[in-house]
């Protein structure tokens, strides 16, 4: 269905979102627009093969529930794409237990197998406990352990790829953080397909929401009832990412299109970056 813009409203139904370009879309036109955007991203960046044993990293937040919901639709249309969800329980009291309940509920309702692995069982300590013992920034240690565990368990489950819920805002933040920290080598690992493509030790991570803005993902998740409450990790306030996120949100408000500009120009340079850092690239 072609979306017709009439006085910037897609139709006579109540709009649920205004896009960056100004169009206002109702629920059904927005769902169509958003899902088509994700399917197009998958095709454009060749994220999926004809047959996949696909894992989806599920936190129970808006991004991962959205990517799982859409990939699950795809899997129903194409049974050769098999879906399994993986969740990591870092052990963050009052937060992760709630999002894991949401994740489990979604998987139960949709007949998706959910595999939950915990820091406590795998490493001997919850993240909360680690932070009491070690003098480290929460997200740096948490991110490294999570990526390690996701990769290890994806290999054990014999997954061909692992989809994550990273969206365009996340990518713009990562690009800017790496620039500010003069760590351009880390940017070579970004993009819709993460890291080294042909390495048996790593299950390739893919980002089907790569071109979707956070506000679009949030809208999709809420209007489709994927979750009813927004939960945020209590540690996020301590992160450098949160500061970059706030800065970019401010820039986007003043100069709409800023985040797309960052990601689109980055995509132009990514092949050169990957080439330059090919020898050093590791998928962490
Ligand atoms: Fe871990 Fe930081 Fe994410 Fe919290 S915000 S789950 S501490 S990476």
């Amino acid at each position: 269905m072609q979306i017709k813009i009439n006085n910037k409203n897609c139709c006579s139904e109540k709009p649920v979102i205004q896009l960056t370009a100004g169009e206002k879309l109702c629920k059904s036109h927005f769902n169509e627009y958003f899902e088509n955007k994700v399917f197009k991203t998958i095709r454009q960046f060749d994220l999926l093969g004809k047959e996949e044993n696909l894992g989806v990293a599920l936190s129970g937040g808006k991004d991962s529930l959205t990517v799982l919901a859409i990939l699950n639709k795809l899997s129903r249309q194409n049974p050769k794409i098999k879906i399994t969800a993986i969740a990591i329980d870092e052990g963050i009291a009052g937060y992760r237990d709630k999002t894991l309940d949401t994740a489990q509920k979604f998987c139960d309702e949709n007949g998706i197998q959910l595999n939950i692995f915990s820091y406590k069982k795998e490493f001997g300590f919850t993240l909360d406990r680690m932070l009491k013992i070690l003098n480290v920034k929460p997200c740096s240690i948490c991110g490294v352990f999570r990526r390690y565990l996701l990769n290890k368990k994806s290999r054990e489950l014999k997954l061909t790829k692992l989809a994550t819920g990273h969206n365009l805002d996340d990518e713009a933040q990562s690009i800017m953080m790496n620039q500010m920290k003069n760590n351009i080598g880390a940017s070579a690992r970004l993009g819709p397909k993460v890291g080294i493509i042909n390495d048996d030790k790593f299950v390739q991570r893919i980002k089907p929401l790569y071109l979707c803005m956070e506000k679009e993902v949030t809208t999709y998740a809420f209007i489709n009832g994927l979750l009813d409450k927004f939960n945020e990790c209590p540690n996020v306030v301590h992160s450098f990412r949160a500061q970059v996120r706030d800065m970019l949100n401010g820039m986007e408000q003043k100069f709409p299109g800023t985040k797309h500009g960052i990601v689109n120009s980055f995509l132009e340079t990514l092949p050169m970056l990957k080439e330059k850092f090919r020898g050093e690239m590791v998928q962490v």
Side-chain angles (χ1 to χ4, degrees):
M1 188 185 358
Q2 185 85 23
I3 296 172
K4 290 200 181 83
I5 307 299
N6 177 14
N7 288 333
K8 296 209 166 179
N9 275 19
C10 61
C11 64
S12 56
E13 293 296 313
K14 190 174 151 217
V16 293
I17 190 169
Q18 179 163 18
L19 305 179
T20 307
E23 303 97 310
K24 292 180 187 164
L25 301 184
C26 71
K27 178 178 174 179
S28 79
H29 279 125
F30 173 68
N31 276 342
E32 185 188 349
Y33 154 86
F34 185 83
E35 288 171 11
N36 281 341
K37 185 161 84 146
V38 178
F39 296 143
K40 194 174 160 209
T41 303
I42 291 171
R43 287 195 303 273
Q44 182 180 344
F45 297 108
D46 197 22
L47 298 188
L48 292 176
K50 288 197 170 66
E51 222 169 299
E52 299 281 3
N53 189 18
L54 181 64
V56 179
L58 183 64
S59 68
K62 60 183 174 30
D63 303 294
S64 62
L65 283 165
T66 295
V67 81
L68 179 58
I70 294 179
L71 290 173
N72 196 39
K73 278 192 179 188
L74 195 70
S75 167
R76 286 195 183 141
Q77 289 161 14
N78 179 359
K80 287 190 173 170
I81 308 284
K82 294 193 173 57
I83 301 264
T84 307
I86 302 187
I88 304 295
D89 180 0
E90 303 92 344
I92 305 171
Y95 165 65
R96 186 54 81 211
D97 37 350
K98 287 183 188 145
T99 69
L100 286 178
D101 282 350
T102 309
Q104 188 69 65
K105 186 166 165 275
F106 180 86
C107 287
D108 289 348
E109 285 170 2
N110 289 279
I112 299 166
Q113 189 193 337
L114 173 62
N115 306 275
I116 303 180
F117 305 101
S118 72
Y119 283 11
K120 176 90 170 90
K121 180 140 185 257
E122 300 292 328
F123 305 123
F125 297 97
T126 62
L127 181 69
D128 286 348
R129 181 81 187 118
M130 288 180 203
L131 294 176
K132 284 202 176 108
I133 301 168
L134 304 167
N135 182 23
V136 288
K137 293 216 168 107
C139 297
S140 51
I141 185 172
C142 179
V144 171
F145 279 125
R146 182 171 351 90
R147 286 191 293 276
Y148 167 80
L149 208 47
L150 280 172
N151 187 60
K152 180 171 180 246
K153 296 302 172 185
S154 295
R155 289 181 74 197
E156 288 173 10
L157 291 166
K158 303 206 177 329
L159 301 177
T160 51
K161 287 187 183 130
L162 181 68
T164 65
H166 289 94
N167 60 46
L168 183 132
D169 290 45
D170 298 324
E171 189 78 349
Q173 290 155 20
S174 298
I175 295 163
M176 293 309 294
M177 286 162 67
N178 292 338
Q179 292 286 129
M180 290 175 186
K181 291 189 168 179
N182 192 21
N183 191 5
I184 200 71
S187 285
R189 300 194 291 269
L190 296 175
K193 276 179 169 176
V194 178
I196 301 170
I197 293 170
N198 299 315
D199 190 319
D200 290 347
K201 292 197 202 75
F202 297 106
V203 175
Q204 182 166 64
R205 296 199 303 272
I206 57 168
K207 302 173 185 169
L209 305 183
Y210 193 82
L211 298 178
C212 301
M213 294 192 78
E214 180 158 292
K215 77 170 185 182
E216 296 175 338
V217 180
T218 306
T219 302
Y220 186 88
F222 279 102
I223 64 174
N224 291 294
L226 302 183
L227 76 174
D228 50 21
K229 214 167 134 237
F230 182 69
N231 280 305
E232 189 167 68
C233 175
N235 297 318
V236 81
V237 289
H238 306 295
S239 69
F240 180 44
R241 178 176 289 275
Q243 302 202 26
V244 174
R245 176 189 67 187
D246 293 347
M247 178 197 76
L248 286 179
N249 285 345
M251 292 297 288
E252 182 72 31
Q253 214 170 9
K254 281 190 201 148
F255 307 105
T258 295
K259 293 174 191 172
H260 278 99
I262 293 169
V263 172
N264 287 337
S265 56
F266 173 71
L267 280 172
E268 298 263 326
T269 58
L270 187 57
M272 286 178 275
L273 273 182
K274 288 209 185 277
E275 191 54 42
K276 178 170 164 54
F277 290 95
R278 187 167 297 281
E280 304 167 28
M281 276 165 60
V282 286
Q283 200 179 45
V284 289

